[in-house]
Every structure is written in structure tokens, then in C-alpha cells.
Amino acid sequence: SSVASTDNVIYRDAFFCNSPAEFGNVPESMTALLESYVQDYSIHHFLPQSRFVRTIAGGLADREESIQRWSYDGDLLCEFHVDGFAECFPELDDGGFLATLHNYKDNTYQILRYGSDGAILWETPLGNSAIPIITQILLLPDGIYGFGWIRQESSFEDVYVCHLSYDGKILDQKILGGTDYDTLQWVEVSDSGFSVWGSTQCNDGDFPLSKDGYGVDYLMQLSPDFDIL
């Protein structure tokens, strides 16, 4: 995603679509409207049908966010509050949407399903002994696919992938990586499953590409079951 910041507001392009081409630029008609909603600290996520405005309060341990969803005509669609750090707002066909939530106080991470009115319909915790962070979500006919990273106790960052049903059940989740840093930058749907771009500093594990510990870019093909092809 691209980030452009001023002293008191961050405008953030949301890329949680099936491909970058599905998003495009922020409509020119939104410029004046956005300027009118600058707050002490807010983050704006632009989606194809609407935008989400997160107003931040507190530090990591006591973070609270007030989130508003606006149409591009300037109508307030819904408003809700969360305890923690919210990200990822892919929109669903029925007018609802998803969100990820990291609560630092409880050290929990989950995906939530909201209705169009901002009411929670279900919430699914992710991770066990380690907490993953989802950076990209793909909505496909057979479910919700999440991609990101995870830091386990005895290792550096690894790649984390998961597959959920549309009623919130975890169908599959997997950790990919080695004993050094492995990152994931971008994912697209491919004929065989998923094309994944990232980088690694590993000379072992799933990405044994680095010869000297420096970062090496990779392009990986994953099956729908997250097997490396």
C-alpha cells in the first residue's frame, strides 16, 4: 500500500482486492471531503465502494480506535469501536466487511466479520503460541485467504498464510520459512493457486536462497492448500 503523511493525518491506500488493478486512484471528488475530516490522528483506508476512517487514542497497551465507514457521496454508513489495532477492511457483496484486530493488551489477533450496520457477526482468533499479522486478504469463491507474517519465539519472522470459510471457520493455516527473516510483500491469484512475492535471508527451510545472510527476493507459487509448487 502507499502512504502519504502530513503532520496530523495519514492517507492510506487499501490493497485488499484480488489484484492491484482493481483499486485505482482516489476519486478527485474526495479531496475536499477528506480535508474536512482531518483529526488529531486518523488513518484513511480507501476501498472500491467506501472508505474507512480510524481515529486513534492511547498507546499500544491501551489502544482504542473509533472507526467510521463513509460512502464516496459523503454519507456515514456505520460507526464502531475496537480495543486494539484494526487493519484490513475488504468489502463483501452483501454490504458487510471484514477487519483484522490486534489487541496488544491481551496479545490476541483475530479476523472479524461485520454487517453493513457495523455489528459483529463473527470473530475468529488466529495463531496459537505466536501471534500472526495479516497484511493482505483475498476474497475468493471458496473462502477468505489471509497472508502476512508471524514471529515465533525461537525464530525470526516467517510467512503466515490462512484460509477461512465465510462463516469464520479456519480451514487451513500454515507457517513458511526458515531460521532467519522471511517476508511476504504481495500476493495475486494464479492459475495454480497463488503467486507470492517476498524476500528472505534464509539458507535453509522453505526459502534456502540466501548465500551470505543478505536479503534475496523470491517469487513463489503456492497451491490452494499452501503447498510450494
mmCIF file of all heavy atoms in Angstrom, residues 138-158:
data_model
loop_
_atom_site.group_PDB
_atom_site.id
_atom_site.type_symbol
_atom_site.label_atom_id
_atom_site.label_comp_id
_atom_site.label_asym_id
_atom_site.label_seq_id
_atom_site.Cartn_x
_atom_site.Cartn_y
_atom_site.Cartn_z
ATOM 1 N N LEU A 138 -7.477 -11.914 0.407
ATOM 2 C CA LEU A 138 -8.115 -12.163 -0.876
ATOM 3 C C LEU A 138 -9.456 -12.843 -0.624
ATOM 4 O O LEU A 138 -9.528 -13.811 0.138
ATOM 5 C CB LEU A 138 -7.240 -13.056 -1.765
ATOM 6 C CG LEU A 138 -5.858 -12.500 -2.138
ATOM 7 C CD1 LEU A 138 -5.108 -13.513 -3.004
ATOM 8 C CD2 LEU A 138 -5.982 -11.182 -2.860
ATOM 9 N N LEU A 139 -10.512 -12.321 -1.248
ATOM 10 C CA LEU A 139 -11.849 -12.908 -1.137
ATOM 11 C C LEU A 139 -12.122 -13.714 -2.396
ATOM 12 O O LEU A 139 -12.268 -13.157 -3.480
ATOM 13 C CB LEU A 139 -12.892 -11.802 -0.967
ATOM 14 C CG LEU A 139 -12.680 -10.858 0.217
ATOM 15 C CD1 LEU A 139 -13.755 -9.779 0.239
ATOM 16 C CD2 LEU A 139 -12.641 -11.618 1.535
ATOM 17 N N LEU A 140 -12.190 -15.033 -2.243
ATOM 18 C CA LEU A 140 -12.369 -15.937 -3.378
ATOM 19 C C LEU A 140 -13.630 -16.766 -3.175
ATOM 20 O O LEU A 140 -14.178 -16.835 -2.069
ATOM 21 C CB LEU A 140 -11.146 -16.834 -3.516
ATOM 22 C CG LEU A 140 -9.813 -16.103 -3.737
ATOM 23 C CD1 LEU A 140 -8.664 -17.097 -3.848
ATOM 24 C CD2 LEU A 140 -9.875 -15.218 -4.978
ATOM 25 N N PRO A 141 -14.139 -17.417 -4.225
ATOM 26 C CA PRO A 141 -15.388 -18.174 -4.082
ATOM 27 C C PRO A 141 -15.359 -19.240 -2.993
ATOM 28 O O PRO A 141 -16.391 -19.517 -2.372
ATOM 29 C CB PRO A 141 -15.560 -18.798 -5.475
ATOM 30 C CG PRO A 141 -14.875 -17.843 -6.402
ATOM 31 C CD PRO A 141 -13.693 -17.349 -5.631
ATOM 32 N N ASP A 142 -14.196 -19.842 -2.749
ATOM 33 C CA ASP A 142 -14.129 -20.911 -1.749
ATOM 34 C C ASP A 142 -13.699 -20.421 -0.379
ATOM 35 O O ASP A 142 -13.415 -21.223 0.505
ATOM 36 C CB ASP A 142 -13.196 -22.026 -2.221
ATOM 37 C CG ASP A 142 -11.758 -21.556 -2.390
ATOM 38 O OD1 ASP A 142 -11.554 -20.332 -2.555
ATOM 39 O OD2 ASP A 142 -10.856 -22.403 -2.354
ATOM 40 N N GLY A 143 -13.643 -19.102 -0.173
ATOM 41 C CA GLY A 143 -13.349 -18.622 1.166
ATOM 42 C C GLY A 143 -12.454 -17.407 1.223
ATOM 43 O O GLY A 143 -12.155 -16.760 0.212
ATOM 44 N N ILE A 144 -12.021 -17.112 2.436
ATOM 45 C CA ILE A 144 -11.198 -15.944 2.760
ATOM 46 C C ILE A 144 -9.750 -16.404 2.927
ATOM 47 O O ILE A 144 -9.466 -17.293 3.735
ATOM 48 C CB ILE A 144 -11.683 -15.300 4.078
ATOM 49 C CG1 ILE A 144 -13.157 -14.889 3.960
ATOM 50 C CG2 ILE A 144 -10.811 -14.112 4.463
ATOM 51 C CD1 ILE A 144 -13.823 -14.660 5.317
ATOM 52 N N TYR A 145 -8.847 -15.805 2.172
ATOM 53 C CA TYR A 145 -7.430 -16.153 2.255
ATOM 54 C C TYR A 145 -6.659 -14.976 2.848
ATOM 55 O O TYR A 145 -6.757 -13.856 2.345
ATOM 56 C CB TYR A 145 -6.870 -16.510 0.881
ATOM 57 C CG TYR A 145 -7.345 -17.847 0.358
ATOM 58 C CD1 TYR A 145 -8.564 -17.962 -0.305
ATOM 59 C CD2 TYR A 145 -6.574 -18.999 0.529
ATOM 60 C CE1 TYR A 145 -9.008 -19.190 -0.779
ATOM 61 C CE2 TYR A 145 -7.009 -20.230 0.057
ATOM 62 C CZ TYR A 145 -8.223 -20.311 -0.602
ATOM 63 O OH TYR A 145 -8.658 -21.530 -1.068
ATOM 64 N N GLY A 146 -5.916 -15.244 3.913
ATOM 65 C CA GLY A 146 -5.122 -14.215 4.552
ATOM 66 C C GLY A 146 -3.635 -14.507 4.425
ATOM 67 O O GLY A 146 -3.207 -15.664 4.517
ATOM 68 N N PHE A 147 -2.846 -13.460 4.205
ATOM 69 C CA PHE A 147 -1.406 -13.598 4.020
ATOM 70 C C PHE A 147 -0.702 -12.546 4.867
ATOM 71 O O PHE A 147 -1.140 -11.398 4.929
ATOM 72 C CB PHE A 147 -1.025 -13.412 2.548
ATOM 73 C CG PHE A 147 -1.702 -14.368 1.607
ATOM 74 C CD1 PHE A 147 -2.960 -14.083 1.098
ATOM 75 C CD2 PHE A 147 -1.090 -15.556 1.261
ATOM 76 C CE1 PHE A 147 -3.597 -14.972 0.246
ATOM 77 C CE2 PHE A 147 -1.718 -16.457 0.410
ATOM 78 C CZ PHE A 147 -2.979 -16.165 -0.103
ATOM 79 N N GLY A 148 0.397 -12.935 5.500
ATOM 80 C CA GLY A 148 1.128 -11.984 6.321
ATOM 81 C C GLY A 148 2.385 -12.602 6.891
ATOM 82 O O GLY A 148 3.087 -13.359 6.219
ATOM 83 N N TRP A 149 2.655 -12.300 8.157
ATOM 84 C CA TRP A 149 3.874 -12.795 8.795
ATOM 85 C C TRP A 149 3.601 -13.156 10.251
ATOM 86 O O TRP A 149 2.574 -12.783 10.820
ATOM 87 C CB TRP A 149 4.993 -11.757 8.707
ATOM 88 C CG TRP A 149 4.679 -10.436 9.354
ATOM 89 C CD1 TRP A 149 4.066 -9.370 8.766
ATOM 90 C CD2 TRP A 149 4.944 -10.042 10.702
ATOM 91 N NE1 TRP A 149 3.927 -8.332 9.658
ATOM 92 C CE2 TRP A 149 4.472 -8.709 10.857
ATOM 93 C CE3 TRP A 149 5.553 -10.663 11.792
ATOM 94 C CZ2 TRP A 149 4.574 -8.012 12.054
ATOM 95 C CZ3 TRP A 149 5.656 -9.968 12.993
ATOM 96 C CH2 TRP A 149 5.175 -8.657 13.104
ATOM 97 N N ILE A 150 4.529 -13.904 10.822
ATOM 98 C CA ILE A 150 4.404 -14.335 12.200
ATOM 99 C C ILE A 150 5.802 -14.425 12.795
ATOM 100 O O ILE A 150 6.756 -14.777 12.095
ATOM 101 C CB ILE A 150 3.667 -15.696 12.293
ATOM 102 C CG1 ILE A 150 3.299 -16.028 13.733
ATOM 103 C CG2 ILE A 150 4.482 -16.808 11.661
ATOM 104 C CD1 ILE A 150 2.341 -17.222 13.846
ATOM 105 N N ARG A 151 5.939 -14.058 14.049
ATOM 106 C CA ARG A 151 7.230 -14.167 14.732
ATOM 107 C C ARG A 151 7.087 -15.189 15.842
ATOM 108 O O ARG A 151 6.395 -14.967 16.832
ATOM 109 C CB ARG A 151 7.687 -12.831 15.296
ATOM 110 C CG ARG A 151 9.042 -12.921 16.005
ATOM 111 C CD ARG A 151 9.528 -11.571 16.523
ATOM 112 N NE ARG A 151 9.945 -10.712 15.429
ATOM 113 C CZ ARG A 151 9.421 -9.509 15.192
ATOM 114 N NH1 ARG A 151 8.439 -9.062 15.961
ATOM 115 N NH2 ARG A 151 9.865 -8.777 14.195
ATOM 116 N N GLN A 152 7.750 -16.330 15.683
ATOM 117 C CA GLN A 152 7.717 -17.370 16.697
ATOM 118 C C GLN A 152 8.827 -17.139 17.723
ATOM 119 O O GLN A 152 9.786 -16.422 17.478
ATOM 120 C CB GLN A 152 7.870 -18.741 16.036
ATOM 121 C CG GLN A 152 6.791 -18.990 14.967
ATOM 122 C CD GLN A 152 6.852 -20.373 14.406
ATOM 123 O OE1 GLN A 152 6.299 -21.300 14.987
ATOM 124 N NE2 GLN A 152 7.511 -20.527 13.269
ATOM 125 N N GLU A 153 8.694 -17.775 18.879
ATOM 126 C CA GLU A 153 9.589 -17.487 19.999
ATOM 127 C C GLU A 153 11.056 -17.729 19.667
ATOM 128 O O GLU A 153 11.927 -16.971 20.068
ATOM 129 C CB GLU A 153 9.183 -18.332 21.207
ATOM 130 C CG GLU A 153 7.842 -17.932 21.821
ATOM 131 C CD GLU A 153 7.524 -18.744 23.047
ATOM 132 O OE1 GLU A 153 8.361 -19.589 23.430
ATOM 133 O OE2 GLU A 153 6.438 -18.542 23.634
ATOM 134 N N SER A 154 11.344 -18.785 18.945
ATOM 135 C CA SER A 154 12.736 -19.178 18.729
ATOM 136 C C SER A 154 13.232 -18.840 17.326
ATOM 137 O O SER A 154 14.240 -19.380 16.882
ATOM 138 C CB SER A 154 12.887 -20.689 18.964
ATOM 139 O OG SER A 154 12.030 -21.407 18.089
ATOM 140 N N SER A 155 12.563 -17.968 16.613
ATOM 141 C CA SER A 155 12.979 -17.678 15.245
ATOM 142 C C SER A 155 12.696 -16.226 14.895
ATOM 143 O O SER A 155 12.109 -15.480 15.671
ATOM 144 C CB SER A 155 12.256 -18.598 14.262
ATOM 145 O OG SER A 155 10.882 -18.245 14.185
ATOM 146 N N PHE A 156 13.113 -15.836 13.700
ATOM 147 C CA PHE A 156 12.808 -14.531 13.173
ATOM 148 C C PHE A 156 11.422 -14.583 12.521
ATOM 149 O O PHE A 156 10.669 -15.528 12.721
ATOM 150 C CB PHE A 156 13.888 -14.130 12.164
ATOM 151 C CG PHE A 156 15.250 -13.944 12.778
ATOM 152 C CD1 PHE A 156 16.167 -14.982 12.809
ATOM 153 C CD2 PHE A 156 15.605 -12.723 13.327
ATOM 154 C CE1 PHE A 156 17.420 -14.809 13.381
ATOM 155 C CE2 PHE A 156 16.858 -12.536 13.900
ATOM 156 C CZ PHE A 156 17.762 -13.583 13.922
ATOM 157 N N GLU A 157 11.097 -13.584 11.748
ATOM 158 C CA GLU A 157 9.788 -13.549 11.100
ATOM 159 C C GLU A 157 9.678 -14.627 10.024
ATOM 160 O O GLU A 157 10.621 -14.866 9.265
ATOM 161 C CB GLU A 157 9.546 -12.172 10.482
ATOM 162 C CG GLU A 157 9.382 -11.075 11.509
ATOM 163 C CD GLU A 157 9.247 -9.717 10.873
ATOM 164 O OE1 GLU A 157 9.112 -9.651 9.628
ATOM 165 O OE2 GLU A 157 9.283 -8.711 11.590
ATOM 166 N N ASP A 158 8.516 -15.257 9.959
ATOM 167 C CA ASP A 158 8.196 -16.222 8.921
ATOM 168 C C ASP A 158 6.931 -15.774 8.199
ATOM 169 O O ASP A 158 6.188 -14.916 8.677
ATOM 170 C CB ASP A 158 7.979 -17.620 9.521
ATOM 171 C CG ASP A 158 9.263 -18.243 10.025
ATOM 172 O OD1 ASP A 158 10.300 -18.073 9.358
ATOM 173 O OD2 ASP A 158 9.229 -18.898 11.084
#
